Amino acid sequence: MSIYFAGNTRLPMVAGWDDLLPLWFARLHERYRTPVNSILFVGVITLAASLASLIGVREQEAFQLQENVANAFYGLIYMVLFVIPIVAAKRFGVKAPLWLKLASASGFMMSAVGTFFTVFPIIDVRSRLAFAMKIIVFVVLANAVGAAIYLAGGRRAENRASQAETEANQ
């Protein structure tokens, strides 16, 4: 788990460096050179998700909720990765061969099916509907928060670019 946590805390930092997230995520501790704000953000989100999964359920169901939410996130990311050769390769000046498009379509479909099945528990749960709704709500909310943070970072990058352009014109 420490490897996952250490790796995941660096992702917002790098996205901050690339102007995809607000600069706050990229700030490093003066002495230790660690991404303190990114670590705090990931830590708070991880703690909140862990505590929320325990509400009204026993340990096994809480673990299953966490595992299924993580699988849903992975499934969504893989769906995006598999769709790139199908619809976005032309934007990068590349024409994907047919075999790659077919393989990508297959990968996309398998990821979509896998993501769909994350809402179905494989253990006995108190309420199958509550189990599914917790997963759906958490995944939707997490993606909404991520989109809002991304948009805030994008606005900052646009402001920086227009400011650089103004300075260059002066």
Side-chain angles (χ1 to χ4, degrees), residues 16-169:
W17 286 345
D18 292 340
D19 289 329
L20 298 172
L21 292 178
L23 188 59
W24 181 86
F25 288 95
R27 289 197 187 120
L28 299 177
H29 188 275
E30 288 183 29
R31 181 174 177 194
Y32 300 110
R33 307 301 297 159
T34 55
V36 175
N37 294 338
S38 182
I39 290 170
L40 287 172
F41 177 78
V42 172
V44 167
I45 297 299
T46 302
L47 179 63
S50 296
L51 293 175
S53 70
L54 290 169
I55 297 172
V57 299
R58 294 181 186 254
E59 296 84 6
Q60 188 176 15
E61 186 172 343
F63 177 80
Q64 188 70 53
L65 280 165
Q66 292 175 359
E67 187 70 23
N68 285 21
V69 166
N71 287 337
F73 286 140
Y74 277 115
L76 293 173
I77 291 298
Y78 276 101
M79 288 168 65
V80 171
L81 290 174
F82 283 125
V83 83
I84 290 171
I86 299 169
V87 298
K90 289 181 185 175
R91 290 185 184 177
F92 301 109
V94 177
K95 183 174 183 340
L98 180 61
W99 68 265
L100 179 59
K101 289 182 180 182
L102 292 173
S104 296
S106 174
F108 179 87
M109 291 302 298
M110 292 301 102
S111 298
V113 168
T115 302
F116 172 76
F117 280 112
T118 62
V119 300
F120 299 102
I122 60 171
I123 59 168
D124 288 330
V125 297
R126 291 186 181 181
S127 167
R128 295 173 80 74
L129 179 61
F131 182 90
M133 291 308 298
K134 285 180 184 180
I135 292 171
I136 292 167
V137 167
F138 190 81
V139 169
V140 168
L141 283 176
N143 279 288
V145 168
I149 294 170
Y150 174 77
L151 291 174
R155 280 191 225 108
R156 184 178 56 84
E158 287 174 12
N159 291 341
R160 231 196 255 171
S162 66
Q163 186 178 22
E165 185 178 321
T166 302
E167 290 174 3
N169 291 334

